[in-house]
Amino acid sequence: ACISYVGPFTGVYRQKMIQKWTDECMSRNIPVSDSFTLIRTMGDPIEIRDWSNQGLPTDDVSVQNGIISTQGERWPLCIDPQQQANRWIKNMEKKQGLLILKFTTKDFVRSITNAIRIGKPVL
Protein backbone atom coordinates (compact mmCIF):
# COMPACT_ATOMS: atom_id res chain seq x y z
CA ALA A 1 0.00 0.00 0.00
CA CYS A 2 2.83 2.42 0.81
CA ILE A 3 4.44 2.17 -2.62
CA SER A 4 1.08 2.73 -4.33
CA TYR A 5 -0.38 5.48 -2.19
CA VAL A 6 2.16 7.64 -0.34
CA GLY A 7 4.13 9.04 -3.28
CA PRO A 8 2.35 12.35 -3.85
CA PHE A 9 2.26 13.37 -0.19
CA THR A 10 4.63 15.24 2.11
CA GLY A 11 6.77 13.41 4.63
CA VAL A 12 4.61 14.51 7.57
CA TYR A 13 1.40 13.38 5.87
CA ARG A 14 3.02 10.08 4.85
CA GLN A 15 3.85 9.41 8.51
CA LYS A 16 0.27 10.16 9.54
CA MET A 17 -1.07 7.78 6.87
CA ILE A 18 1.31 5.00 7.89
CA GLN A 19 0.44 5.48 11.57
CA LYS A 20 -3.26 5.28 10.74
CA TRP A 21 -2.72 2.08 8.70
CA THR A 22 -0.63 0.57 11.49
CA ASP A 23 -3.26 1.46 14.12
CA GLU A 24 -6.01 0.00 11.95
CA CYS A 25 -4.07 -3.25 11.45
CA MET A 26 -3.51 -3.54 15.20
CA SER A 27 -7.20 -2.92 15.95
CA ARG A 28 -8.07 -5.79 13.60
CA ASN A 29 -5.39 -8.09 15.06
CA ILE A 30 -3.41 -8.06 11.83
CA PRO A 31 0.28 -8.57 12.63
CA VAL A 32 2.24 -5.37 12.03
CA SER A 33 5.47 -3.90 13.30
CA ASP A 34 5.16 -1.13 15.87
CA SER A 35 7.96 0.78 14.18
CA PHE A 36 7.13 0.34 10.49
CA THR A 37 8.96 2.52 8.01
CA LEU A 38 9.09 2.18 4.25
CA ILE A 39 12.87 2.54 4.38
CA ARG A 40 13.36 -0.33 6.88
CA THR A 41 10.87 -2.58 5.11
CA MET A 42 11.65 -2.01 1.42
CA GLY A 43 15.05 -0.30 1.48
CA ASP A 44 18.40 -1.93 0.92
CA PRO A 45 21.08 -0.01 2.88
CA ILE A 46 23.74 -0.69 0.22
CA GLU A 47 21.49 0.49 -2.59
CA ILE A 48 20.49 3.57 -0.58
CA ARG A 49 24.18 4.40 -0.05
CA ASP A 50 24.74 4.03 -3.81
CA TRP A 51 21.85 6.41 -4.43
CA SER A 52 23.49 8.93 -2.13
CA ASN A 53 26.73 8.59 -4.08
CA GLN A 54 24.74 9.17 -7.26
CA GLY A 55 23.30 12.42 -5.93
CA LEU A 56 20.06 11.51 -4.13
CA PRO A 57 19.69 13.50 -0.89
CA THR A 58 19.78 11.35 2.25
CA ASP A 59 16.67 12.70 4.00
CA ASP A 60 13.86 10.19 4.63
CA VAL A 61 11.45 11.65 2.06
CA SER A 62 14.08 11.52 -0.71
CA VAL A 63 15.01 7.93 0.18
CA GLN A 64 11.32 6.97 0.27
CA ASN A 65 10.92 8.59 -3.15
CA GLY A 66 13.89 6.57 -4.39
CA ILE A 67 12.24 3.36 -3.16
CA ILE A 68 8.92 4.32 -4.75
CA SER A 69 10.68 5.19 -8.02
CA THR A 70 12.71 2.01 -8.26
CA GLN A 71 10.27 -0.54 -6.82
CA GLY A 72 6.90 0.75 -7.96
CA GLU A 73 4.95 -1.11 -10.62
CA ARG A 74 4.47 2.06 -12.69
CA TRP A 75 6.80 4.76 -13.86
CA PRO A 76 7.24 7.65 -11.44
CA LEU A 77 6.24 11.24 -12.04
CA CYS A 78 8.83 13.51 -10.46
CA ILE A 79 7.94 17.10 -9.65
CA ASP A 80 11.48 18.29 -9.21
CA PRO A 81 11.99 22.07 -9.04
CA GLN A 82 15.50 21.69 -7.58
CA GLN A 83 16.56 19.11 -10.22
CA GLN A 84 17.71 16.66 -7.52
CA ALA A 85 15.78 13.67 -8.91
CA ASN A 86 16.85 14.61 -12.43
CA ARG A 87 20.55 14.52 -11.50
CA TRP A 88 20.11 11.31 -9.51
CA ILE A 89 18.32 9.50 -12.35
CA LYS A 90 20.94 10.65 -14.88
CA ASN A 91 23.75 9.35 -12.67
CA MET A 92 21.93 6.14 -11.76
CA GLU A 93 20.98 5.19 -15.34
CA LYS A 94 24.14 6.42 -17.10
CA LYS A 95 25.63 2.91 -17.41
CA GLN A 96 22.41 1.57 -18.93
CA GLY A 97 22.59 4.08 -21.78
CA LEU A 98 20.01 6.61 -20.56
CA LEU A 99 18.26 8.34 -23.44
CA ILE A 100 17.33 11.94 -22.62
CA LEU A 101 14.48 13.26 -24.75
CA LYS A 102 12.43 16.44 -24.93
CA PHE A 103 9.14 16.77 -26.77
CA THR A 104 10.97 18.96 -29.28
CA THR A 105 13.57 16.25 -30.01
CA LYS A 106 13.60 15.32 -33.67
CA ASP A 107 12.07 11.85 -34.14
CA PHE A 108 10.79 11.88 -30.53
CA VAL A 109 8.14 9.20 -31.12
CA ARG A 110 10.51 6.90 -32.99
CA SER A 111 13.23 7.36 -30.35
CA ILE A 112 10.97 6.61 -27.41
CA THR A 113 9.36 3.67 -29.23
CA ASN A 114 12.77 2.13 -29.92
CA ALA A 115 13.90 2.73 -26.33
CA ILE A 116 10.80 0.99 -24.98
CA ARG A 117 11.22 -1.87 -27.43
CA ILE A 118 14.80 -2.61 -26.36
CA GLY A 119 14.35 -1.73 -22.68
CA LYS A 120 16.53 1.37 -22.63
CA PRO A 121 15.86 3.94 -19.86
CA VAL A 122 14.36 7.26 -20.98
CA LEU A 123 14.22 10.59 -19.21
Side-chain angles (χ1 to χ4, degrees):
C2 277
I3 297 266
S4 297
Y5 297 111
V6 302
F9 301 108
T10 65
V12 172
Y13 192 75
R14 288 178 185 184
Q15 283 306 115
K16 288 179 183 178
M17 286 174 41
I18 290 169
Q19 187 60 53
K20 187 172 182 175
W21 291 336
T22 303
D23 293 344
E24 187 65 28
C25 286
M26 287 180 182
S27 74
R28 295 173 185 254
N29 295 322
I30 299 171
V32 64
S33 171
D34 289 336
S35 59
F36 172 84
T37 69
L38 183 63
I39 295 169
R40 265 189 255 140
T41 304
M42 301 289 296
D44 174 8
I46 294 169
E47 186 175 33
I48 292 169
R49 187 191 66 224
D50 288 345
W51 294 343
S52 175
N53 292 338
Q54 293 162 343
L56 185 70
T58 57
D59 63 280
D60 284 352
V61 173
S62 295
V63 174
Q64 289 172 5
N65 288 342
I67 292 169
I68 292 166
S69 297
T70 59
Q71 296 186 26
E73 296 263 333
R74 299 172 186 240
W75 57 89
L77 170 63
C78 299
I79 299 171
D80 188 27
Q82 296 175 327
Q83 299 293 303
Q84 293 173 324
N86 194 11
R87 280 191 302 274
W88 170 60
I89 292 169
K90 285 179 181 179
N91 290 331
M92 183 175 62
E93 297 295 342
K94 190 183 307 181
K95 292 179 183 174
Q96 287 74 30
L98 177 66
L99 180 62
I100 300 172
L101 297 175
K102 295 180 181 179
F103 288 117
T104 58
T105 302
K106 184 178 172 154
D107 298 325
F108 174 83
V109 174
R110 186 177 58 131
S111 297
I112 199 162
T113 302
N114 288 336
I116 292 169
R117 185 176 295 127
I118 63 174
K120 195 173 189 180
V122 177
L123 181 64

